[in-house]
C-alpha cells in the first residue's frame, strides 16, 4: 500500500446546537461522537465534531476553513444563504420519516371555535423555544391576513423545550394553540389516537422544511464526501448504526439538491418582503 493511500485525511464538522433543541446537549454529543467514529470506520479519514452555540462563531470558522462541514438549523442558512452558497458545494439534510421535507402545523382544540388564523388574536400559543422556522411560518401567515407579526397580534408565546410538550399543552387546554412540526403530530397521534379527535389542523405549511441542514466546504475533496455518503448507507444497515440514528432521533442523513431547498429560500424571501411591507 502506498504512503499516499495511508494518509489520514482530517475533517472537522461544526454543529450548532441552537435551533436543534429536540436532543439534550449531552445526548447530542454522545450520539454525534458515536456517529463520527462509526462513519469513518475502515477509512483513512478522521472526523471530529466541534460544538457551537453561537452561529457567528461557526460561520467565522467555516470561512477561515477551520471546519470543513457544518450542521445547523436551516434558519441560520437562510440568513446568510448567499455567503454559505459561495463557500459550499454539497448540501445534506436530516430526514426523520419517509419524506425528506416536512411541514409545520398550527393546531387548536376542536371545541375552541378557532377556525381561522385571524381568530388567534389575543390567544396563547405554545411552541418550542428555538423553533425559528415554525415562528417564521406563523409570522408569515399573520402578515398575510392581519398585516402584523405574531408577537404583536397574539397574547403571548408559551415556550417549551420540545414540540411534544407544546402539543400536549394544547391538547389539555393549557394554551389556545401550538405550532409544531407535522412529524411531531404524526408521532404523538400514533401513540395516542385521541389527539386526532381533540385537535384539528388550523393551518399547514407546504412541505419545504428540514430539521437540520449540513454544508460541505467547496475546498473539501469530493472523494471524501463520496466515502462518507457510502459509509452512511452502510451504517443504516447495521444494528449499531440503527441504534445511533435512533439516539439522534433521525432516519437518515443524506444529500439534498439545491432544487429541493429553493422553495424554502423563496418562502423566506416572501416572509422578508411581508415584514418590509407591514412591520414599521
Amino acid at each position: 500500500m502506498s504512503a499516499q493511500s495511508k494518509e489520514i485525511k482530517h475533517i472537522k464538522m461544526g454543529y450548532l446546537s441552537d435551533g436543534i433543541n429536540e436532543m439534550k446537549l449531552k445526548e447530542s454529543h454522545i450520539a454525534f461522537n458515536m456517529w463520527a467514529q462509526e462513519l469513518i470506520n475502515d477509512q483513512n479519514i478522521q472526523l471530529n465534531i466541534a460544538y457551537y452555540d453561537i452561529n457567528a462563531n461557526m460561520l467565522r470558522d467555516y470561512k477561515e476553513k477551520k471546519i470543513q462541514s457544518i450542521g445547523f438549523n436551516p434558519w441560520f442558512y437562510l440568513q446568510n444563504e448567499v455567503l454559505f452558497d459561495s463557500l459550499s458545494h454539497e448540501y445534506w439534510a436530516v430526514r426523520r420519516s419517509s419524506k425528506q421535507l416536512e411541514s409545520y402545523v398550527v393546531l387548536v382544540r376542536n371545541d375552541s371555535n378557532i377556525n381561522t388564523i385571524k381568530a388567534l388574536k389575543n390567544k396563547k400559543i405554545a411552541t418550542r423555544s428555538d423553533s425559528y422556522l415554525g415562528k417564521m411560518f406563523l409570522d408569515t401567515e399573520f402578515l398575510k391576513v392581519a398585516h402584523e407579526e405574531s408577537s404583536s397580534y397574539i397574547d403571548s408565546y408559551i415556550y417549551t423545550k420540545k414540540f411534544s410538550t407544546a402539543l400536549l399543552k394544547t391538547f389539555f387546554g393549557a394554551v389556545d394553540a401550538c405550532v409544531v412540526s407535522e412529524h411531531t403530530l404524526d408521532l404523538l397521534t400514533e401513540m395516542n389516537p385521541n389527539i386526532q379527535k381533540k385537535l384539528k389542523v388550523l393551518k399547514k405549511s407546504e412541505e419545504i422544511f428540514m430539521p437540520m441542514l449540513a454544508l460541505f466546504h467547496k475546498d473539501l475533496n469530493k472523494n471524501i464526501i463520496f466515502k462518507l455518503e457510502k459509509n452512511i448507507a452502510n451504517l443504516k444497515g447495521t444494528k449499531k448504526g440503527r441504534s445511533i440514528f435512533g439516539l439522534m432521533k433521525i432516519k437518515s442523513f443524506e444529500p439534498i439538491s439545491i432544487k429541493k431547498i429553493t422553495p424554502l429560500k423563496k418562502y423566506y424571501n416572501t416572509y422578508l418582503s411581508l415584514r418590509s411591507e407591514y412591520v414599521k
Side-chain angles (χ1 to χ4, degrees), residues 199-224:
L199 298 181
K200 64 182 179 182
V201 176
L202 183 67
K203 193 71 179 181
K204 177 182 173 180
S205 77
E206 298 176 62
E207 290 180 351
I208 59 174
F209 300 98
M210 66 286 296
M212 190 178 92
L213 188 66
L215 311 180
F216 290 89
H217 200 281
K218 63 182 180 180
D219 289 342
L220 181 63
N221 190 311
K222 288 188 177 183
N223 188 47
I224 294 177

Side-chain angles (χ1 to χ4, degrees), residues 6 12 26-27 31-32 34 37 52 106 123 135 141 164 168 171-172 198 212 230 232 248-249 252:
K6 291 182 179 179
K12 199 168 188 179
K26 185 177 180 180
E27 287 179 350
F32 273 95
M34 288 174 62
Q37 290 304 312
Y52 295 85
V106 180
K123 303 297 185 183
K135 189 171 182 296
E141 295 306 314
S164 56
L168 291 174
F171 180 82
F172 289 113
K198 285 194 175 183
M212 190 178 92
K230 182 180 178 181
I232 286 177
M248 295 168 72
K249 300 179 181 178
S252 183

Side-chain angles (χ1 to χ4, degrees), residues 13-135:
M13 180 178 188
Y15 172 81
L16 182 67
S17 58
D18 188 13
I20 310 177
N21 201 22
E22 284 293 281
M23 292 176 63
K24 294 179 181 178
L25 190 61
K26 185 177 180 180
E27 287 179 350
S28 67
H29 284 204
I30 293 172
F32 273 95
N33 286 334
M34 288 174 62
W35 173 76
Q37 290 304 312
E38 288 298 312
L39 197 57
I40 60 176
N41 191 30
D42 298 327
Q43 298 288 351
N44 297 327
I45 300 171
Q46 184 173 341
L47 177 63
N48 295 307
I49 310 292
Y51 297 97
Y52 295 85
D53 52 15
I54 299 175
N55 180 50
N57 292 346
M58 188 174 72
L59 176 56
R60 177 201 63 215
D61 287 353
Y62 192 56
K63 287 169 63 177
E64 295 177 357
K65 304 179 187 178
K66 293 179 180 178
I67 50 178
Q68 293 75 47
S69 178
I70 52 177
F72 54 180
N73 186 298
W75 172 254
F76 298 104
Y77 165 75
L78 294 171
Q79 291 179 315
N80 294 280
E81 62 177 270
V82 174
L83 177 58
F84 280 125
D85 286 347
S86 71
L87 295 171
S88 311
H89 72 95
E90 186 89 13
Y91 302 75
W92 286 25
V94 158
R95 179 168 61 81
R96 297 192 291 189
S97 68
S98 60
K99 299 177 181 178
Q100 189 173 42
L101 299 177
E102 303 182 359
S103 297
Y104 279 92
V105 291
V106 180
L107 301 174
V108 297
R109 287 175 59 92
N110 277 317
D111 59 6
S112 66
N113 293 319
I114 299 173
N115 298 309
T116 66
I117 286 291
K118 272 193 170 184
L120 290 172
K121 187 173 179 62
N122 298 325
K123 303 297 185 183
K124 292 182 179 180
I125 300 178
T127 193
R128 209 178 69 187
S129 58
D130 62 349
S131 178
Y132 303 117
L133 296 176
K135 189 171 182 296

Side-chain angles (χ1 to χ4, degrees), residues 144-159:
K144 285 178 181 176
V145 300
H147 301 168
E148 292 183 57
E149 284 187 302
S150 56
S151 58
S152 60
Y153 193 78
I154 67 174
D155 176 277
S156 61
Y157 274 111
I158 306 300
Y159 292 114

